[in-house]
Amino acid sequence: MFADRAKIFIRSGKGGDGHVSFRRELYVPAGGPDGGDGGKGGDVIFVVDEGLNTLNDFRNVRKYCAEDGKEGGKKRQHGANGADVICKVPPGTVIKDFETGKVIMDMSNKKEPVVILKGGKGGNGNQHYATSTMQAPKYAQPGQPAQELYVTLELKVIADVGLVGFPNVGKSTFLSRVTNARPKIANYHFTTLNPNLGVVDLSDGNGFVIADIPGIIEGASEGVGLGFQFLRHIERTKVLLHIIDGASVEGRDPINDVYAILEELKKYNTQVVERPMVIAANKMDAMNETEKETVIDMLKEEFEPQGIEVYPISAVTGEGVKELLWHVNELVKNAPEEMVEFEQEYIPVFDFSSEPYTVEVDPENEHIFIVEGPKIEKMLGYTNLDSEKGFDFFQRFLKENGIIDELKTKGIEEGDVVRMYYLEFDYYE
């Protein structure tokens, strides 16, 4: 089965925690802190693999998690870094945030690996927190948490030319005649449920890649039928080749069909209808000469003033096909070289800034609680506790960072003392 859309869960690795330890050697009775840093968590990396053409692998495996970093060790040993997880995707894949539908990254033109989620930074060991006033810090920094996200992968077929038209107008027959593609062909609607790619080889190195976009129906832009699955493939193409049933075998009006398809394309993406377009009036073999002339004159009179040329063809007999292909080849050669690339609309942001702190009961007095750590030192350094606003910020800081909860867990009661370096506070609910 051709898979052009998949939802997966991705998670980077958590950073390893910093370690708390102290140097213990013979003849060194009061060694300093020597806790090592934690290792970095693994990244989630996406890579374009030219050998892939579907997202089938992501239907079988839906979770991609990088390895966590390892904790630091004693004697300043650095924890091992976590292994990255690498997701290989086919060319034309767009990565979107599942919740918002916004583009995180278009992998179409990416030659190098792209890091989508970064692994958490490893925490600092207690060796980093020794100061003149705190020579034996008993805290270390925890590693940054993992980043996780549900994303949607969408494969938008990369082709020079997109075949569009209502179901059963002969697109698959045309594709099988002009390329080596062998799509299934039968006389019922929605025969083609997957985009078929083929290469058109003309003489002297001329040619182009063509994609049979599955049959579009009215309402496709609103998702009727398999609308969005079909229309997303048109966005990459440089030229649109609109095949219509010129003989009205099923009683359809070919002019109305053209306008109906254009309207669906316009509703989906206004830029698509600005691409060069050519109309192929198919099934000419089903009409006599007089009927052919009448239909072709009518179509040319309607569309050629709009800059859209009309070519009468028969995908069954090959009538007019060669002339059509050379015209399409010229349109492709004159089209802009750059591939349509979708701009980034969403950047995953995770704020995991964390500094360690400890909450301990004074071993000599159970009614004194000692709160220390770099986070506390920094907060006290930039907070004016003499002002009402500054003291409100101080209390909010203690609550939001879980320090109040930690004090309660340790058994603090009203009237007990909280000591933070050079400051002491009486605790009240």
Side-chain angles (χ1 to χ4, degrees):
M1 176 182 176
F2 182 93
D4 67 351
R5 201 164 190 266
K7 175 190 173 185
I8 63 171
F9 173 78
I10 56 176
R11 177 188 179 276
S12 64
K14 174 190 175 298
D17 296 336
H19 190 69
V20 177
S21 61
F22 298 90
R23 187 180 172 199
R24 293 287 182 266
E25 294 180 24
L26 193 62
Y27 309 119
V28 187
D34 69 349
D37 301 343
K40 176 185 172 299
D43 298 332
V44 178
I45 301 172
F46 278 75
V47 179
V48 172
D49 186 337
E50 299 287 345
L52 297 176
N53 55 19
T54 77
L55 296 173
N56 274 336
D57 291 347
F58 296 98
R59 298 223 168 174
N60 301 324
V61 181
R62 293 180 179 271
K63 285 188 176 181
Y64 294 83
C65 302
E67 189 180 25
D68 294 340
K70 300 298 187 290
E71 183 184 355
K74 58 185 180 180
K75 296 185 179 179
R76 305 195 178 196
Q77 290 182 335
H78 196 289
N81 294 335
D84 300 330
V85 62
I86 298 176
C87 302
K88 295 182 178 181
V89 296
T93 301
V94 178
I95 306 167
K96 293 183 176 181
D97 173 56
F98 175 75
E99 293 294 331
T100 64
K102 294 183 176 179
V103 175
I104 295 174
M105 185 61 62
D106 184 345
M107 298 295 294
S108 302
N109 292 322
K110 300 294 181 285
K111 304 299 182 187
E112 302 295 327
V114 176
V115 177
I116 299 298
L117 294 183
K118 290 185 177 180
K121 183 176 177 289
N124 290 328
N126 70 332
Q127 59 171 312
H128 293 278
Y129 299 111
T131 65
S132 57
T133 56
M134 178 55 62
Q135 296 183 8
K138 298 177 183 177
Y139 45 76
Q141 187 181 34
Q144 287 184 342
Q147 301 179 4
E148 55 185 48
L149 202 61
Y150 280 97
V151 297
T152 302
L153 305 181
E154 287 187 358
L155 176 58
K156 297 173 186 282
V157 171
I158 299 175
D160 299 312
V161 179
L163 285 179
V164 297
F166 276 92
N168 213 27
V169 295
K171 299 198 312 304
S172 295
T173 304
F174 175 81
L175 190 72
S176 65
R177 169 168 285 277
V178 302
T179 74
N180 57 358
R182 291 293 174 264
K184 292 179 181 178
I185 300 169
N187 188 31
Y188 53 87
H189 295 305
F190 287 109
T191 303
T192 307
L193 294 181
N194 303 323
N196 288 299
L197 280 176
V199 178
V200 176
D201 285 321
L202 301 172
S203 60
D204 301 324
N206 290 287
F208 48 85
V209 179
I210 190 168
D212 177 8
I213 308 301
I216 299 173
I217 61 173
E218 290 179 82
S221 58
E222 280 83 40
V224 173
L226 300 177
F228 284 131
Q229 286 181 242
F230 297 163
L231 290 171
R232 74 167 57 97
H233 297 290
I234 298 175
E235 293 176 283
R236 298 287 196 196
T237 56
K238 299 176 182 177
V239 176
L240 296 181
L241 174 52
H242 193 146
I243 295 189
I244 59 175
D245 179 1
S248 301
V249 172
E250 295 190 345
R252 305 190 62 90
D253 183 329
I255 291 179
N256 287 344
D257 279 2
V258 173
Y259 283 122
I261 296 295
L262 286 176
E263 187 61 28
E264 291 306 312
L265 296 178
K266 195 182 299 180
K267 287 179 185 176
Y268 181 73
N269 185 337
T270 54
Q271 294 180 340
V272 171
V273 294
E274 297 171 3
R275 311 263 165 83
M277 181 183 293
V278 58
I279 294 173
N282 193 24
K283 303 189 180 180
M284 290 293 107
D285 56 294
M287 294 186 289
N288 59 41
E289 290 302 319
T290 303
E291 290 172 331
K292 284 185 193 178
E293 288 182 16
T294 303
V295 170
I296 297 306
D297 288 345
M298 179 181 66
L299 289 169
K300 288 189 174 185
E301 185 178 329
E302 181 70 27
F303 295 108
E304 291 196 343
Q306 302 178 41
I308 304 174
E309 293 204 30
V310 178
Y311 281 79
I313 69 163
S314 169
V316 173
T317 66
E319 175 190 349
V321 170
K322 189 174 182 180
E323 293 81 357
L324 170 66
L325 294 179
W326 278 105
H327 175 68
V328 172
N329 186 66
E330 284 303 308
L331 292 178
V332 170
K333 285 203 302 189
N334 294 326
E337 278 301 313
E338 65 273 9
M339 184 188 297
V340 175
E341 186 168 347
F342 300 94
E343 293 183 5
Q344 188 173 26
E345 302 171 319
Y346 181 87
I347 301 174
V349 176
F350 303 87
D351 183 12
F352 295 137
S353 53
S354 64
E355 289 287 354
Y357 66 86
T358 57
V359 178
E360 295 181 345
V361 181
D362 190 328
E364 298 179 2
N365 188 335
E366 63 180 16
H367 296 292
I368 296 177
F369 293 77
I370 303 168
V371 181
E372 295 177 337
K375 177 177 283 192
I376 309 303
E377 281 187 292
K378 288 181 181 179
M379 183 273 299
L380 294 175
Y382 58 65
T383 304
N384 180 11
L385 297 177
D386 294 329
S387 71
E388 184 178 348
K389 186 177 288 187
F391 199 77
D392 284 344
F393 170 81
F394 167 69
Q395 293 185 91
R396 195 164 61 250
F397 172 89
L398 297 181
K399 186 175 182 180
E400 291 177 352
N401 285 275
I403 297 170
I404 297 294
D405 291 338
E406 188 79 16
L407 287 167
K408 289 179 180 178
T409 301
K410 296 284 186 181
I412 196 168
E413 298 177 352
E414 288 201 7
D416 287 347
V417 173
V418 178
R419 181 183 296 159
M420 296 183 182
Y421 293 99
Y422 53 89
L423 297 173
E424 288 189 354
F425 306 92
D426 292 332
Y427 176 81
Y428 293 99
E429 289 285 350

